[in-house]
Amino acid sequence: MPDTITATKGDVPDNANEHCPGPESESAGKADGCAGCPNQEICASQAAGPDPDLPIIAERLSCVKHKILVLSGKGGVGKSTFTSQLAFALASDENTEVGVVDVDVCGPSIPKIMGCEREEVHPTGHGWSPVFVQDNLGVMSIAFMLPDEESAVIWRGPKKNGMIKQFLRDVDWSSTAEGGVLDYLLFDTPPGTSDEHLSVVQLLRESGITGAVIVTTPQEVALQDVRKEIDFCRKAQVPIIGVVENMSGFVCPGCKGESRIFYPTTGGAQKMCKDLGIPLLGSIPLDPSIGRACDFGSSFLDTCPESPAAKAYLDIIANIKRIIESK
Amino acid sequence: GHRVGVLDIDLCGPSIPRMLGVENYQIHQASSGWVPAYVDSDKRLSCMSIAFLLPSRDSSVVWRGPKKNAMIKLFLSDVYWGELDYLLIDTPPGTSDEHLAVVEYLQEWNPDGAVIITTPQAVALADVKKEINFCEKVGLPILGLVENMSGFVCPHCAECTNVFSTGGGEGLAKHLDIPFLGRSPIDPNLVMLLEQEDKTLVPNVNDPEAEKEKTTSIVETYQRCELSNMFSGIAKHLTETLNVKEAA
């Protein structure tokens, strides 16, 4: 075992043969040095050299003005909830065209949260049509392609990458919009820094990413993972729009007393953002109505506009718009 | 008197060391293998995580499957745990490389099974159904299901609010004929204990100005948190189930 994990050339696995050319190389899986390597088959099966699909994806997404990745380091902080409510809020202006790509292949929550769970994807002459939640809000998720909602998607990296690539290459977003322009395309990702994240970043290399919004909760255990997520963005050269602190305080519906469930013992997202020079987009308190809205597939901003959490969402969205318009 | 090891295979977000208070452990090797971090002075609770191998706390681990598999294999083969009564393996969310790897590499040692954790709301249950399906597909027995974050008791008025709804986990367990191990509400003092750096201070979030009681280790401090009673119950149920299985 290494003393510490340090950067290795390309993405060379620790169990690779000594003279591994690197999994991204032209001779990946085919070089003399690959014989007997446990990863040989995987490397050989992947196309070597520049990916011919990248320009196709760039062309497909040329109709999209802003592509935003929603990331979190930790699971359970409310990333999918945030992505869906952000999508609903942006689409509340009927002149704004919005799309959501659910890249969480193992746990695709977006269709349920957005109330389009049992829909199917339809091919058109120009590719796949996304599922429409509203006239100006389209969604794509692997959930639409699974035989039943209880099947586990137990895929290793290459198959997940293939699926994500299909989403980007084959979905026709231009059909959603008047004038064929999508104002926002949001990417909901699984927690962590893994295959899905690498794939999205690599596949969008030519077409460009506007930036990432990182969701966290206030406690150090979550912030630790957010710092890693920020490190990932910096390594992958993904611009960071800012951080959203979720579940930041609780207002009792009974006595209206304020308390904290997740303590910011190390200063919460505010201190972390200050230390790292990243905008804090806002803080959203814990409101049970948000969870309920998601369980029923409705827009929280529509169902509970008077909640303090609703105001927080609107402030955050205004901040996001301001930051990306100024870039 | 049990000896317990905790293996943290969440390679992207390894939280266990911070939670157990062994974040600053400097990993080292003995002749029999890598020595895990010991949480208590009796050395009954130990922990291994990738967190001990990273150059800094903020370093991201951005690996594809094969490299993750190799790391998990190393964790299972090269750590010198000593005699253990129980090895708990904390996994990342999902049904992915880490889960496949650990099930595959543990096969020859016949893992006893999986405990599934969910929060009560429908969106979480949808993913947990997949996790249960994964266990069935790979032949991993399910020892039980816990419904976590099931209610929060307001410290001001003692009213319980179901912040993430309630009952969903229990309903699912019943529906799928899985043992239901219990509902654990949010316990602010336990949350604080896992969060704070000094694990020997007994948290008292309702009276933060009060002088805090001191203990000798997190194992003792934990027992002062209300939720520890519930978890004792779960532990008892699991150990009894496993003893019955072994005897059979």
Side-chain angles (χ1 to χ4, degrees):
Chain A
M1 194 175 320
D3 284 333
T4 59
I5 309 289
T6 52
T8 53
K9 78 169 178 234
D11 210 15
V12 176
D14 281 325
N15 62 345
N17 285 357
E18 201 186 322
H19 299 293
C20 171
E24 307 273 295
S25 127
E26 294 252 352
S27 52
K30 298 168 196 141
D32 290 337
C34 296
C37 173
N39 308 308
Q40 187 180 19
E41 213 183 292
I42 298 174
C43 287
S45 64
Q46 286 173 349
D51 189 337
D53 284 323
L54 292 194
I56 300 176
I57 290 171
E59 173 61 39
R60 200 48 118 162
L61 298 180
S62 57
C63 65
V64 181
K65 266 189 184 165
H66 302 295
K67 296 176 216 76
I68 300 176
L69 304 192
V70 182
L71 306 172
S72 75
K74 200 120 205 69
V77 297
K79 183 177 26 56
S80 299
T81 304
F82 179 78
T83 308
S84 60
Q85 302 308 311
L86 176 62
F88 277 131
L90 290 169
S92 63
D93 170 7
E94 54 188 39
N95 295 321
T96 303
E97 304 290 337
V98 183
V100 180
V101 181
D102 180 2
V103 166
D104 190 342
V105 168
C106 297
S109 312
I110 292 288
K112 187 172 194 78
I113 294 176
M114 300 190 76
C116 52
E117 227 180 333
R118 310 227 184 280
E119 300 286 341
E120 282 178 6
V121 171
H122 300 288
T124 68
H126 307 281
W128 297 345
S129 169
V131 168
F132 287 96
V133 173
Q134 289 166 201
D135 284 343
N136 62 339
L137 176 52
V139 175
M140 178 52 65
S141 169
I142 196 183
F144 301 135
M145 298 171 201
L146 295 174
D148 65 81
E149 62 169 27
E150 295 175 18
S151 299
V153 173
I154 315 174
W155 292 357
R156 292 195 187 271
K159 205 164 171 180
K160 287 199 264 187
N161 301 343
M163 182 89 265
I164 295 168
K165 192 184 247 192
Q166 272 196 291
F167 280 171
L168 297 179
R169 193 188 55 209
D170 296 343
V171 174
D172 180 19
W173 294 103
S174 65
S175 65
T176 65
E178 303 262 333
V181 169
L182 199 67
D183 294 283
Y184 298 95
L185 186 59
L186 311 181
F187 290 81
D188 187 38
T189 61
T193 49
S194 198
D195 277 283
E196 293 88 332
H197 309 84
L198 277 167
S199 297
V200 167
V201 165
Q202 284 170 358
L203 294 169
L204 291 178
R205 201 176 285 152
E206 274 192 42
S207 91
I209 298 173
T210 308
V213 172
I214 307 178
V215 181
T216 184
T217 46
Q219 75 275 44
E220 175 59 21
V221 161
L223 296 178
Q224 262 185 353
D225 290 354
V226 168
R227 289 192 201 99
K228 291 181 203 291
E229 205 70 33
I230 291 169
D231 186 48
F232 164 76
C233 288
R234 287 181 169 159
K235 278 179 180 158
Q237 295 175 320
V238 175
I240 297 173
I241 297 171
V243 170
V244 171
E245 187 182 80
N246 204 9
M247 306 194 202
S248 179
F250 170 72
V251 176
C252 177
C255 71
K256 305 297 178 207
E258 286 184 32
S259 51
R260 282 212 168 267
I261 293 179
F262 303 111
Y263 301 95
T265 57
T266 55
Q270 188 172 38
K271 180 166 190 302
M272 181 192 68
C273 287
K274 193 160 171 228
D275 290 344
L276 297 176
I278 290 170
L280 176 65
L281 298 169
S283 299
I284 306 169
L286 198 69
D287 182 340
S289 330
I290 302 178
R292 268 199 295 276
C294 291
D295 278 358
F296 290 107
S298 48
S299 163
F300 165 72
L301 292 173
D302 284 346
T303 55
C304 306
E306 71 292 341
S307 156
K311 176 165 192 315
Y313 262 109
L314 292 173
D315 286 344
I316 288 169
I317 289 158
N319 284 334
I320 292 174
K321 278 183 166 173
R322 181 179 47 80
I323 290 172
I324 60 183
E325 302 295 343
S326 70
K327 277 183 190 279
Chain B
H2 287 144
R3 299 175 65 94
V4 181
V6 180
L7 176 58
D8 179 5
I9 60 165
D10 188 342
L11 302 179
C12 298
S15 308
I16 297 283
R18 169 88 192 187
M19 289 186 170
L20 293 181
V22 288
E23 243 189 331
N24 298 321
Y25 170 63
Q26 298 289 320
I27 191 167
H28 57 277
Q29 212 174 9
S31 51
S32 336
W34 292 88
V35 180
Y38 289 104
V39 175
D40 60 325
S41 52
D42 291 337
K43 294 193 173 180
R44 288 193 297 112
L45 179 56
S46 53
C47 163
M48 178 52 69
S49 168
I50 200 176
F52 303 135
L53 297 165
L54 296 174
S56 100
R57 276 185 344 159
D58 303 347
S59 305
S60 57
V61 169
V62 190
W63 293 350
R64 290 199 185 269
K67 206 161 174 178
K68 289 202 253 185
N69 295 348
M71 187 85 253
I72 291 170
K73 202 172 190 182
L74 271 174
F75 275 156
L76 290 172
S77 60
D78 287 6
V79 174
Y80 178 58
W81 295 102
E83 291 286 327
L84 283 182
D85 295 289
Y86 299 98
L87 180 63
L88 307 180
I89 301 176
D90 185 37
T91 61
T95 50
S96 196
D97 288 277
E98 294 89 330
H99 309 85
L100 280 166
V102 82
V103 165
E104 191 183 312
Y105 300 136
L106 273 182
Q107 238 168 24
E108 59 181 293
W109 289 288
N110 284 324
D112 291 282
V115 174
I116 313 252
I117 315 289
T118 184
T119 47
Q121 76 275 47
V123 168
L125 296 180
D127 285 356
V128 166
K129 281 185 207 164
K130 293 183 203 289
E131 204 68 51
I132 290 168
N133 184 240
F134 165 81
C135 291
E136 284 162 8
K137 278 184 175 163
V138 301
L140 190 61
I142 295 177
L143 299 171
L145 183 144
V146 174
E147 184 181 297
N148 200 13
M149 302 200 206
S150 189
F152 172 66
V153 176
C154 174
H156 304 290
C157 69
E159 184 177 308
C160 179
T161 304
N162 293 319
V163 282
F164 301 114
S165 162
T166 193
E170 186 168 9
L172 181 68
K174 215 170 166 180
H175 174 66
L176 295 177
D177 201 23
I178 291 169
F180 181 62
L181 299 176
R183 248 188 249 180
S184 65
I186 297 170
D187 176 352
N189 284 322
L190 179 60
V191 175
M192 181 55 103
L193 173 58
L194 297 175
E195 171 72 1
Q196 68 194 23
E197 221 172 324
D198 185 351
K199 305 291 181 188
T200 62
L201 291 175
V202 177
N204 185 353
V205 299
N206 288 345
D207 193 0
E209 304 303 314
E211 198 178 317
K212 291 193 178 54
E213 200 189 326
K214 237 188 164 318
T215 66
T216 54
S217 87
I218 187 179
V219 177
E220 212 186 309
T221 325
Y222 167 72
Q223 275 151 17
R224 302 282 206 279
C225 299
E226 275 184 39
L227 213 52
S228 66
N229 293 325
M230 193 219 160
F231 276 95
S232 290
I234 294 177
K236 192 159 179 268
H237 173 97
L238 286 172
T239 51
E240 280 170 5
T241 307
L242 294 174
N243 288 341
V244 164
K245 271 178 85 180
E246 208 174 15

